[in-house]
Amino acid sequence: MKLVGLLLAGGQSRRMGGGDKALRPLGGMTLLERVIERLRPQVDALVLNANGDPARFARFALPVVADSVPDFAGPLAGVLAGLDWTAEHRPDCPLVVSVATDAPFLPADLAAKLVAGLEDAQADLACAASGGRPHPVFGLWPVRLREDLRRAVVEEGMRKVDLWTARHRLVTVSFADRPIDPFFNANRPEDFAAAAALLQEVTP
């Protein structure tokens, strides 16, 4: 099964004081570099969802797609942008796996486990969970549902991921949260200090 990996960096990083959280350094690399390093081996293509001037991501040599829905409409708008890009540029990839770009420890088997969970449950969508908590932006999205998603986001103004996924057959795939939670996300300045300490504990 061919997959596109969607890097979601379209938010406003309010808890970090604004700016591009994904471009902040962590242990000698940017957050985005760490996420790319972990996701790239799992997918057939990568695309970055980000708003504003795409030139600031030029060093990563990735296609950059902005939300087609204005005013920072949240992760669903980013997923829609990724599905639209995939339909146009990678029609051989029926599924898109999305990740947040502030999760430097995301699982090396994220895509494989989500695909297996989707197929086993004969579901439409899959999302990750750890420690009993779902992480809906770490999900598997079929390109065939993009018009349904567009209607929800554009016509209904839907912003919450779980409201839309509840309309479809969703399977939640659990990942171990020990020794560290692979979905640890660096939202605030103090999280970067915690992530730097965790880097000392994990083997890349």
Side-chain angles (χ1 to χ4, degrees):
M1 179 88 63
K2 289 194 170 185
L3 301 174
V4 165
L6 172 61
L7 302 150
L8 293 170
Q12 295 174 287
S13 303
R14 289 191 185 92
R15 280 176 286 185
M16 288 295 296
D20 286 306
K21 178 171 54 174
L23 297 181
R24 294 189 178 227
L26 174 64
M29 298 169 66
T30 65
L31 260 182
L32 184 54
E33 284 174 298
R34 292 193 176 278
V35 173
I36 289 171
E37 187 177 74
R38 295 188 77 81
L39 186 60
R40 192 188 294 277
Q42 304 186 48
V43 296
D44 298 279
L46 281 176
V47 61
L48 175 65
N49 164 240
N51 297 300
D53 184 0
R56 66 195 194 276
F57 298 105
R59 74 182 107 150
F60 301 101
L62 293 175
V64 179
V65 294
D67 294 351
S68 59
V69 184
D71 302 323
F72 298 98
L76 283 177
V79 170
L80 177 59
L83 294 179
D84 283 341
W85 182 91
T86 302
E88 182 178 352
H89 297 282
R90 289 303 301 259
D92 58 322
C93 296
L95 295 168
V96 171
V97 58
S98 65
V99 302
T101 50
D102 60 2
F105 310 115
L106 69 90
D109 60 352
L110 175 69
K113 283 191 70 171
L114 289 178
V115 169
L118 186 87
E119 292 176 343
D120 288 349
Q122 296 188 310
D124 297 312
L125 306 160
C127 83
S130 63
R133 291 182 301 118
H135 306 290
V137 298
F138 295 85
L140 194 62
W141 315 83
V143 178
R144 63 181 170 79
L145 288 180
R146 68 192 179 105
E147 296 306 331
D148 183 278
L149 178 57
R150 192 185 325 280
R151 283 190 294 274
V153 174
V154 175
E155 296 174 20
E156 300 175 44
M158 189 175 287
R159 298 293 179 261
K160 289 191 173 294
V161 176
D162 52 4
L163 287 180
W164 186 70
T165 58
R167 297 180 173 183
H168 302 280
R169 290 171 299 171
L170 172 70
V171 62
T172 300
V173 179
S174 293
F175 291 78
D177 62 352
R178 296 287 184 270
I180 64 166
D181 189 334
F183 303 105
F184 171 97
N185 62 323
N187 266 325
R188 299 158 300 184
E190 56 266 34
D191 294 334
F192 275 74
L198 287 171
L199 276 177
Q200 308 301 314
E201 301 176 24
V202 298
T203 302

